[in-house]
mmCIF file of all heavy atoms in Angstrom:
data_model
loop_
_atom_site.group_PDB
_atom_site.id
_atom_site.type_symbol
_atom_site.label_atom_id
_atom_site.label_comp_id
_atom_site.label_asym_id
_atom_site.label_seq_id
_atom_site.Cartn_x
_atom_site.Cartn_y
_atom_site.Cartn_z
ATOM 1 N N SER A 6 -13.608 11.578 22.841
ATOM 2 C CA SER A 6 -14.547 10.630 22.330
ATOM 3 C C SER A 6 -14.330 10.133 20.890
ATOM 4 O O SER A 6 -15.192 10.115 20.083
ATOM 5 C CB SER A 6 -16.069 11.143 22.480
ATOM 6 O OG SER A 6 -16.970 10.186 22.193
ATOM 7 N N SER A 7 -13.047 9.903 20.560
ATOM 8 C CA SER A 7 -12.699 9.596 19.151
ATOM 9 C C SER A 7 -11.918 8.264 18.996
ATOM 10 O O SER A 7 -11.641 7.917 17.853
ATOM 11 C CB SER A 7 -11.857 10.720 18.560
ATOM 12 O OG SER A 7 -10.556 10.744 19.345
ATOM 13 N N LEU A 8 -11.696 7.579 20.156
ATOM 14 C CA LEU A 8 -10.926 6.295 19.962
ATOM 15 C C LEU A 8 -11.888 5.093 20.061
ATOM 16 O O LEU A 8 -12.894 5.159 20.690
ATOM 17 C CB LEU A 8 -9.932 6.212 21.080
ATOM 18 C CG LEU A 8 -8.895 7.353 21.249
ATOM 19 C CD1 LEU A 8 -7.861 7.059 22.294
ATOM 20 C CD2 LEU A 8 -8.304 7.742 19.959
ATOM 21 N N MET A 9 -11.454 3.973 19.387
ATOM 22 C CA MET A 9 -12.181 2.848 19.374
ATOM 23 C C MET A 9 -11.349 1.554 19.668
ATOM 24 O O MET A 9 -10.214 1.519 19.235
ATOM 25 C CB MET A 9 -12.905 2.585 18.035
ATOM 26 C CG MET A 9 -13.738 3.730 17.530
ATOM 27 S SD MET A 9 -14.393 3.577 15.808
ATOM 28 C CE MET A 9 -15.604 2.293 16.064
ATOM 29 N N PHE A 10 -11.847 0.604 20.405
ATOM 30 C CA PHE A 10 -11.348 -0.728 20.598
ATOM 31 C C PHE A 10 -9.921 -0.766 21.170
ATOM 32 O O PHE A 10 -9.157 -1.627 20.841
ATOM 33 C CB PHE A 10 -11.330 -1.510 19.318
ATOM 34 C CG PHE A 10 -12.609 -1.324 18.532
ATOM 35 C CD1 PHE A 10 -12.592 -0.901 17.165
ATOM 36 C CD2 PHE A 10 -13.868 -1.584 19.071
ATOM 37 C CE1 PHE A 10 -13.781 -0.716 16.457
ATOM 38 C CE2 PHE A 10 -15.013 -1.400 18.372
ATOM 39 C CZ PHE A 10 -15.019 -1.024 17.059
ATOM 40 N N ALA A 11 -9.604 0.100 22.060
ATOM 41 C CA ALA A 11 -8.245 0.130 22.666
ATOM 42 C C ALA A 11 -7.982 -1.196 23.425
ATOM 43 O O ALA A 11 -8.827 -1.695 24.060
ATOM 44 C CB ALA A 11 -8.064 1.283 23.555
ATOM 45 N N LYS A 12 -6.843 -1.781 23.174
ATOM 46 C CA LYS A 12 -6.418 -3.050 23.821
ATOM 47 C C LYS A 12 -4.933 -3.128 23.979
ATOM 48 O O LYS A 12 -4.147 -2.544 23.217
ATOM 49 C CB LYS A 12 -6.973 -4.234 23.132
ATOM 50 C CG LYS A 12 -6.496 -4.337 21.674
ATOM 51 C CD LYS A 12 -7.129 -5.570 20.944
ATOM 52 C CE LYS A 12 -8.545 -5.400 20.573
ATOM 53 N NZ LYS A 12 -8.751 -4.606 19.422
ATOM 54 N N PHE A 13 -4.520 -3.788 25.159
ATOM 55 C CA PHE A 13 -3.142 -4.019 25.497
ATOM 56 C C PHE A 13 -2.504 -5.041 24.637
ATOM 57 O O PHE A 13 -3.143 -6.061 24.265
ATOM 58 C CB PHE A 13 -3.021 -4.385 26.958
ATOM 59 C CG PHE A 13 -3.416 -3.333 27.909
ATOM 60 C CD1 PHE A 13 -4.583 -3.424 28.644
ATOM 61 C CD2 PHE A 13 -2.522 -2.259 28.262
ATOM 62 C CE1 PHE A 13 -4.990 -2.523 29.591
ATOM 63 C CE2 PHE A 13 -2.904 -1.330 29.148
ATOM 64 C CZ PHE A 13 -4.077 -1.416 29.818
ATOM 65 N N SER A 14 -1.260 -4.897 24.389
ATOM 66 C CA SER A 14 -0.394 -6.013 23.805
ATOM 67 C C SER A 14 -0.163 -6.993 24.935
ATOM 68 O O SER A 14 -0.229 -6.658 26.057
ATOM 69 C CB SER A 14 0.900 -5.447 23.237
ATOM 70 O OG SER A 14 1.651 -4.833 24.316
ATOM 71 N N ASP A 15 0.089 -8.222 24.571
ATOM 72 C CA ASP A 15 0.355 -9.246 25.514
ATOM 73 C C ASP A 15 1.573 -9.031 26.450
ATOM 74 O O ASP A 15 1.656 -9.613 27.513
ATOM 75 C CB ASP A 15 0.385 -10.678 24.887
ATOM 76 C CG ASP A 15 -1.006 -11.278 24.584
ATOM 77 O OD1 ASP A 15 -1.928 -10.419 24.697
ATOM 78 O OD2 ASP A 15 -1.065 -12.463 24.268
ATOM 79 N N ASN A 16 2.535 -8.254 25.903
ATOM 80 C CA ASN A 16 3.701 -7.870 26.716
ATOM 81 C C ASN A 16 3.518 -6.675 27.589
ATOM 82 O O ASN A 16 4.408 -6.216 28.242
ATOM 83 C CB ASN A 16 4.946 -7.820 25.806
ATOM 84 C CG ASN A 16 4.793 -6.553 24.868
ATOM 85 O OD1 ASN A 16 3.887 -5.759 24.910
ATOM 86 N ND2 ASN A 16 5.785 -6.494 23.981
ATOM 87 N N ASN A 17 2.259 -6.107 27.543
ATOM 88 C CA ASN A 17 1.883 -5.015 28.415
ATOM 89 C C ASN A 17 2.645 -3.701 28.163
ATOM 90 O O ASN A 17 2.560 -2.794 28.920
ATOM 91 C CB ASN A 17 2.036 -5.380 29.903
ATOM 92 C CG ASN A 17 1.319 -6.670 30.243
ATOM 93 O OD1 ASN A 17 -0.001 -6.645 30.226
ATOM 94 N ND2 ASN A 17 2.009 -7.720 30.520
ATOM 95 N N GLN A 18 3.321 -3.584 27.021
ATOM 96 C CA GLN A 18 4.071 -2.423 26.800
ATOM 97 C C GLN A 18 3.329 -1.353 25.955
ATOM 98 O O GLN A 18 3.609 -0.185 26.006
ATOM 99 C CB GLN A 18 5.428 -2.733 26.011
ATOM 100 C CG GLN A 18 6.389 -3.613 26.914
ATOM 101 C CD GLN A 18 7.668 -3.947 26.181
ATOM 102 O OE1 GLN A 18 7.910 -3.323 25.102
ATOM 103 N NE2 GLN A 18 8.381 -4.871 26.673
ATOM 104 N N PHE A 19 2.389 -1.872 25.103
ATOM 105 C CA PHE A 19 1.752 -0.963 24.119
ATOM 106 C C PHE A 19 0.250 -1.100 24.271
ATOM 107 O O PHE A 19 -0.297 -2.092 24.698
ATOM 108 C CB PHE A 19 2.243 -1.329 22.726
ATOM 109 C CG PHE A 19 3.653 -1.218 22.471
ATOM 110 C CD1 PHE A 19 4.476 -2.357 22.574
ATOM 111 C CD2 PHE A 19 4.307 0.006 22.284
ATOM 112 C CE1 PHE A 19 5.840 -2.235 22.363
ATOM 113 C CE2 PHE A 19 5.684 0.157 22.081
ATOM 114 C CZ PHE A 19 6.452 -1.022 22.178
ATOM 115 N N VAL A 20 -0.420 -0.097 23.733
ATOM 116 C CA VAL A 20 -1.837 -0.189 23.521
ATOM 117 C C VAL A 20 -2.079 0.284 22.108
ATOM 118 O O VAL A 20 -1.404 1.108 21.566
ATOM 119 C CB VAL A 20 -2.614 0.928 24.436
ATOM 120 C CG1 VAL A 20 -4.055 0.818 24.154
ATOM 121 C CG2 VAL A 20 -2.396 0.495 25.888
ATOM 122 N N ALA A 21 -3.018 -0.471 21.417
ATOM 123 C CA ALA A 21 -3.393 -0.124 20.045
ATOM 124 C C ALA A 21 -4.836 0.257 20.068
ATOM 125 O O ALA A 21 -5.674 -0.291 20.843
ATOM 126 C CB ALA A 21 -3.101 -1.310 19.078
ATOM 127 N N TYR A 22 -5.209 1.191 19.113
ATOM 128 C CA TYR A 22 -6.647 1.597 19.046
ATOM 129 C C TYR A 22 -6.841 2.131 17.656
ATOM 130 O O TYR A 22 -5.932 2.337 16.820
ATOM 131 C CB TYR A 22 -7.006 2.587 20.020
ATOM 132 C CG TYR A 22 -6.005 3.721 20.231
ATOM 133 C CD1 TYR A 22 -5.854 4.778 19.356
ATOM 134 C CD2 TYR A 22 -5.219 3.805 21.408
ATOM 135 C CE1 TYR A 22 -4.925 5.777 19.541
ATOM 136 C CE2 TYR A 22 -4.240 4.768 21.649
ATOM 137 C CZ TYR A 22 -4.114 5.832 20.702
ATOM 138 O OH TYR A 22 -3.238 6.773 20.857
ATOM 139 N N VAL A 23 -8.155 2.321 17.281
ATOM 140 C CA VAL A 23 -8.538 2.847 16.024
ATOM 141 C C VAL A 23 -9.016 4.309 16.223
ATOM 142 O O VAL A 23 -9.747 4.583 17.126
ATOM 143 C CB VAL A 23 -9.694 1.977 15.426
ATOM 144 C CG1 VAL A 23 -10.215 2.674 14.120
ATOM 145 C CG2 VAL A 23 -9.144 0.598 15.050
ATOM 146 N N LYS A 24 -8.566 5.120 15.306
ATOM 147 C CA LYS A 24 -9.081 6.532 15.242
ATOM 148 C C LYS A 24 -9.251 6.955 13.809
ATOM 149 O O LYS A 24 -8.313 6.705 12.993
ATOM 150 C CB LYS A 24 -8.178 7.475 15.971
ATOM 151 C CG LYS A 24 -8.751 8.923 15.950
ATOM 152 C CD LYS A 24 -7.708 9.914 16.478
ATOM 153 C CE LYS A 24 -8.272 11.326 16.452
ATOM 154 N NZ LYS A 24 -8.625 11.779 15.120
ATOM 155 N N ASP A 25 -10.429 7.378 13.438
ATOM 156 C CA ASP A 25 -10.626 7.835 12.056
ATOM 157 C C ASP A 25 -10.212 6.824 11.083
ATOM 158 O O ASP A 25 -9.557 7.204 10.112
ATOM 159 C CB ASP A 25 -9.956 9.229 11.864
ATOM 160 C CG ASP A 25 -10.532 10.343 12.676
ATOM 161 O OD1 ASP A 25 -11.697 10.225 13.052
ATOM 162 O OD2 ASP A 25 -9.823 11.322 12.886
ATOM 163 N N PHE A 26 -10.587 5.549 11.267
ATOM 164 C CA PHE A 26 -10.330 4.453 10.284
ATOM 165 C C PHE A 26 -8.930 4.085 10.086
ATOM 166 O O PHE A 26 -8.550 3.354 9.217
ATOM 167 C CB PHE A 26 -10.964 4.837 8.958
ATOM 168 C CG PHE A 26 -12.406 5.249 8.952
ATOM 169 C CD1 PHE A 26 -12.736 6.594 8.826
ATOM 170 C CD2 PHE A 26 -13.417 4.381 9.255
ATOM 171 C CE1 PHE A 26 -14.023 7.030 8.976
ATOM 172 C CE2 PHE A 26 -14.692 4.770 9.313
ATOM 173 C CZ PHE A 26 -15.069 6.098 9.193
ATOM 174 N N ASN A 27 -8.037 4.490 11.067
ATOM 175 C CA ASN A 27 -6.666 4.010 11.049
ATOM 176 C C ASN A 27 -6.291 3.476 12.394
ATOM 177 O O ASN A 27 -6.966 3.770 13.387
ATOM 178 C CB ASN A 27 -5.664 5.220 10.690
ATOM 179 C CG ASN A 27 -5.603 5.513 9.278
ATOM 180 O OD1 ASN A 27 -5.399 4.644 8.490
ATOM 181 N ND2 ASN A 27 -5.864 6.792 8.885
ATOM 182 N N ILE A 28 -5.285 2.536 12.480
ATOM 183 C CA ILE A 28 -4.812 1.861 13.652
ATOM 184 C C ILE A 28 -3.586 2.628 14.178
ATOM 185 O O ILE A 28 -2.624 2.979 13.357
ATOM 186 C CB ILE A 28 -4.534 0.432 13.291
ATOM 187 C CG1 ILE A 28 -5.735 -0.306 12.796
ATOM 188 C CG2 ILE A 28 -4.043 -0.235 14.609
ATOM 189 C CD1 ILE A 28 -5.492 -1.744 12.333
ATOM 190 N N TYR A 29 -3.521 2.858 15.404
ATOM 191 C CA TYR A 29 -2.454 3.544 16.108
ATOM 192 C C TYR A 29 -1.850 2.659 17.201
ATOM 193 O O TYR A 29 -2.627 1.926 17.802
ATOM 194 C CB TYR A 29 -2.869 4.875 16.740
ATOM 195 C CG TYR A 29 -3.227 5.937 15.700
ATOM 196 C CD1 TYR A 29 -4.490 5.945 15.116
ATOM 197 C CD2 TYR A 29 -2.299 6.921 15.335
ATOM 198 C CE1 TYR A 29 -4.839 6.941 14.164
ATOM 199 C CE2 TYR A 29 -2.679 7.869 14.392
ATOM 200 C CZ TYR A 29 -3.928 7.908 13.844
ATOM 201 O OH TYR A 29 -4.217 8.934 12.930
ATOM 202 N N LYS A 30 -0.605 2.762 17.487
ATOM 203 C CA LYS A 30 0.079 2.146 18.542
ATOM 204 C C LYS A 30 0.563 3.216 19.472
ATOM 205 O O LYS A 30 1.201 4.181 19.087
ATOM 206 C CB LYS A 30 1.255 1.290 18.057
ATOM 207 C CG LYS A 30 2.059 0.622 19.125
ATOM 208 C CD LYS A 30 3.255 -0.132 18.657
ATOM 209 C CE LYS A 30 4.379 0.859 18.257
ATOM 210 N NZ LYS A 30 5.637 0.232 17.876
ATOM 211 N N GLU A 31 0.348 3.038 20.758
ATOM 212 C CA GLU A 31 0.799 3.983 21.819
ATOM 213 C C GLU A 31 1.742 3.245 22.807
ATOM 214 O O GLU A 31 1.335 2.222 23.364
ATOM 215 C CB GLU A 31 -0.322 4.684 22.500
ATOM 216 C CG GLU A 31 0.110 5.672 23.483
ATOM 217 C CD GLU A 31 -1.120 6.574 23.987
ATOM 218 O OE1 GLU A 31 -2.064 6.690 23.343
ATOM 219 O OE2 GLU A 31 -0.912 7.053 25.209
ATOM 220 N N ASN A 32 2.895 3.795 22.920
ATOM 221 C CA ASN A 32 3.798 3.275 24.047
ATOM 222 C C ASN A 32 3.266 3.682 25.352
ATOM 223 O O ASN A 32 3.222 4.913 25.643
ATOM 224 C CB ASN A 32 5.303 3.757 23.787
ATOM 225 C CG ASN A 32 6.197 3.207 24.823
ATOM 226 O OD1 ASN A 32 6.008 3.164 25.999
ATOM 227 N ND2 ASN A 32 7.286 2.601 24.257
ATOM 228 N N PHE A 33 2.937 2.750 26.182
ATOM 229 C CA PHE A 33 2.222 3.161 27.406
ATOM 230 C C PHE A 33 3.094 4.025 28.344
ATOM 231 O O PHE A 33 2.675 4.897 28.967
ATOM 232 C CB PHE A 33 1.700 1.951 28.176
ATOM 233 C CG PHE A 33 0.970 2.253 29.479
ATOM 234 C CD1 PHE A 33 -0.257 2.777 29.378
ATOM 235 C CD2 PHE A 33 1.610 1.984 30.605
ATOM 236 C CE1 PHE A 33 -0.944 3.078 30.493
ATOM 237 C CE2 PHE A 33 0.891 2.371 31.802
ATOM 238 C CZ PHE A 33 -0.400 2.890 31.708
ATOM 239 N N LYS A 34 4.367 3.695 28.400
ATOM 240 C CA LYS A 34 5.215 4.394 29.358
ATOM 241 C C LYS A 34 5.618 5.776 28.771
ATOM 242 O O LYS A 34 5.620 6.700 29.568
ATOM 243 C CB LYS A 34 6.488 3.577 29.536
ATOM 244 C CG LYS A 34 6.316 2.287 30.417
ATOM 245 C CD LYS A 34 7.607 1.613 30.729
ATOM 246 C CE LYS A 34 7.321 0.352 31.636
ATOM 247 N NZ LYS A 34 8.595 -0.354 31.979
ATOM 248 N N THR A 35 5.987 5.891 27.510
ATOM 249 C CA THR A 35 6.455 7.135 26.978
ATOM 250 C C THR A 35 5.351 8.019 26.481
ATOM 251 O O THR A 35 5.572 9.283 26.296
ATOM 252 C CB THR A 35 7.589 6.876 25.929
ATOM 253 O OG1 THR A 35 6.892 6.247 24.769
ATOM 254 C CG2 THR A 35 8.648 5.987 26.379
ATOM 255 N N GLY A 36 4.253 7.408 26.049
ATOM 256 C CA GLY A 36 3.203 8.110 25.467
ATOM 257 C C GLY A 36 3.354 8.392 23.984
ATOM 258 O O GLY A 36 2.561 9.076 23.311
ATOM 259 N N GLU A 37 4.347 7.822 23.371
ATOM 260 C CA GLU A 37 4.677 8.013 21.971
ATOM 261 C C GLU A 37 3.596 7.313 21.081
ATOM 262 O O GLU A 37 3.323 6.102 21.371
ATOM 263 C CB GLU A 37 6.036 7.438 21.571
ATOM 264 C CG GLU A 37 6.396 7.585 20.109
ATOM 265 C CD GLU A 37 7.761 6.953 19.756
ATOM 266 O OE1 GLU A 37 8.283 6.233 20.595
ATOM 267 O OE2 GLU A 37 8.117 7.099 18.584
ATOM 268 N N ILE A 38 3.019 8.007 20.184
ATOM 269 C CA ILE A 38 1.983 7.453 19.339
ATOM 270 C C ILE A 38 2.480 7.240 17.888
ATOM 271 O O ILE A 38 3.047 8.151 17.290
ATOM 272 C CB ILE A 38 0.696 8.389 19.334
ATOM 273 C CG1 ILE A 38 0.146 8.468 20.695
ATOM 274 C CG2 ILE A 38 -0.334 7.832 18.361
ATOM 275 C CD1 ILE A 38 -0.947 9.430 20.900
ATOM 276 N N THR A 39 2.246 6.036 17.399
ATOM 277 C CA THR A 39 2.770 5.707 16.032
ATOM 278 C C THR A 39 1.613 5.243 15.239
ATOM 279 O O THR A 39 0.849 4.323 15.514
ATOM 280 C CB THR A 39 3.762 4.577 16.124
ATOM 281 O OG1 THR A 39 4.801 4.966 16.946
ATOM 282 C CG2 THR A 39 4.297 4.316 14.733
ATOM 283 N N PRO A 40 1.295 5.994 14.111
ATOM 284 C CA PRO A 40 0.220 5.503 13.193
ATOM 285 C C PRO A 40 0.732 4.234 12.412
ATOM 286 O O PRO A 40 1.762 4.233 11.825
ATOM 287 C CB PRO A 40 0.006 6.619 12.215
ATOM 288 C CG PRO A 40 1.293 7.388 12.237
ATOM 289 C CD PRO A 40 1.871 7.179 13.572
ATOM 290 N N LEU A 41 -0.029 3.158 12.521
ATOM 291 C CA LEU A 41 0.303 1.856 11.911
ATOM 292 C C LEU A 41 -0.293 1.768 10.565
ATOM 293 O O LEU A 41 0.220 1.009 9.631
ATOM 294 C CB LEU A 41 -0.092 0.696 12.752
ATOM 295 C CG LEU A 41 0.580 0.643 14.164
ATOM 296 C CD1 LEU A 41 0.038 -0.583 14.941
ATOM 297 C CD2 LEU A 41 2.106 0.629 14.047
ATOM 298 N N THR A 42 -1.395 2.476 10.270
ATOM 299 C CA THR A 42 -1.931 2.577 8.919
ATOM 300 C C THR A 42 -2.258 4.023 8.711
ATOM 301 O O THR A 42 -2.431 4.839 9.680
ATOM 302 C CB THR A 42 -3.305 1.832 8.782
ATOM 303 O OG1 THR A 42 -4.295 2.429 9.616
ATOM 304 C CG2 THR A 42 -3.085 0.312 9.117
ATOM 305 N N THR A 43 -2.175 4.472 7.483
ATOM 306 C CA THR A 43 -2.367 5.948 7.194
ATOM 307 C C THR A 43 -3.353 6.241 6.045
ATOM 308 O O THR A 43 -3.600 7.350 5.742
ATOM 309 C CB THR A 43 -0.937 6.610 6.812
ATOM 310 O OG1 THR A 43 -0.443 5.882 5.724
ATOM 311 C CG2 THR A 43 -0.051 6.518 7.951
ATOM 312 N N ASP A 44 -3.879 5.161 5.463
ATOM 313 C CA ASP A 44 -4.723 5.336 4.298
ATOM 314 C C ASP A 44 -6.206 5.327 4.614
ATOM 315 O O ASP A 44 -7.064 5.379 3.692
ATOM 316 C CB ASP A 44 -4.418 4.298 3.202
ATOM 317 C CG ASP A 44 -4.491 2.873 3.715
ATOM 318 O OD1 ASP A 44 -4.635 2.679 4.953
ATOM 319 O OD2 ASP A 44 -4.528 1.923 2.929
ATOM 320 N N GLY A 45 -6.599 5.179 5.866
ATOM 321 C CA GLY A 45 -8.009 5.140 6.252
ATOM 322 C C GLY A 45 -8.665 6.505 5.987
ATOM 323 O O GLY A 45 -8.169 7.586 6.436
ATOM 324 N N THR A 46 -9.834 6.502 5.274
ATOM 325 C CA THR A 46 -10.471 7.664 4.892
ATOM 326 C C THR A 46 -11.987 7.624 5.163
ATOM 327 O O THR A 46 -12.719 8.663 5.137
ATOM 328 C CB THR A 46 -10.284 7.915 3.423
ATOM 329 O OG1 THR A 46 -10.889 6.855 2.722
ATOM 330 C CG2 THR A 46 -8.836 8.105 3.079
ATOM 331 N N GLY A 47 -12.534 6.437 5.425
ATOM 332 C CA GLY A 47 -13.938 6.218 5.461
ATOM 333 C C GLY A 47 -14.355 5.406 4.317
ATOM 334 O O GLY A 47 -15.167 4.487 4.418
ATOM 335 N N ALA A 48 -13.763 5.637 3.204
ATOM 336 C CA ALA A 48 -13.896 4.730 2.030
ATOM 337 C C ALA A 48 -12.957 3.567 2.212
ATOM 338 O O ALA A 48 -13.333 2.432 1.981
ATOM 339 C CB ALA A 48 -13.493 5.452 0.668
ATOM 340 N N ILE A 49 -11.758 3.821 2.724
ATOM 341 C CA ILE A 49 -10.850 2.771 3.171
ATOM 342 C C ILE A 49 -10.965 2.671 4.710
ATOM 343 O O ILE A 49 -10.831 3.691 5.421
ATOM 344 C CB ILE A 49 -9.367 3.031 2.738
ATOM 345 C CG1 ILE A 49 -9.271 3.215 1.210
ATOM 346 C CG2 ILE A 49 -8.489 1.951 3.337
ATOM 347 C CD1 ILE A 49 -9.630 1.924 0.464
ATOM 348 N N ILE A 50 -11.304 1.523 5.216
ATOM 349 C CA ILE A 50 -11.597 1.312 6.562
ATOM 350 C C ILE A 50 -10.542 0.310 7.199
ATOM 351 O O ILE A 50 -10.599 -0.861 6.797
ATOM 352 C CB ILE A 50 -13.046 0.839 6.779
ATOM 353 C CG1 ILE A 50 -14.012 1.760 6.232
ATOM 354 C CG2 ILE A 50 -13.348 0.565 8.326
ATOM 355 C CD1 ILE A 50 -15.467 1.223 6.158
ATOM 356 N N ASN A 51 -9.804 0.757 8.108
ATOM 357 C CA ASN A 51 -8.858 -0.111 8.775
ATOM 358 C C ASN A 51 -9.226 -0.340 10.191
ATOM 359 O O ASN A 51 -9.524 0.526 10.904
ATOM 360 C CB ASN A 51 -7.420 0.569 8.716
ATOM 361 C CG ASN A 51 -6.816 0.700 7.357
ATOM 362 O OD1 ASN A 51 -6.728 -0.319 6.652
ATOM 363 N ND2 ASN A 51 -6.503 1.933 7.001
#
């Protein structure tokens, strides 16, 4: 219960979502997760 606003990319290869004020990209096939922002703290909200 920690993810927010997950949505598919238009090419259907990836899903992006927010966790703890940062945005992540997940490769749907491989399951690889990449943080796209890293400075989210609550004071900084991404």
Side-chain angles (χ1 to χ4, degrees):
S6 188
S7 63
L8 306 187
M9 305 174 74
F10 316 126
K12 56 180 75 78
F13 292 106
S14 60
D15 278 15
N16 63 8
N17 304 293
Q18 295 181 13
F19 302 98
V20 177
Y22 44 75
V23 172
K24 181 187 182 298
D25 295 338
F26 308 106
N27 281 308
I28 303 172
Y29 291 82
K30 178 188 73 171
E31 181 170 335
N32 185 307
F33 180 74
K34 289 185 178 181
T35 67
E37 179 185 8
I38 297 174
T39 304
L41 299 179
T42 67
T43 57
D44 56 349
T46 60
I49 301 298
I50 302 170
N51 296 303

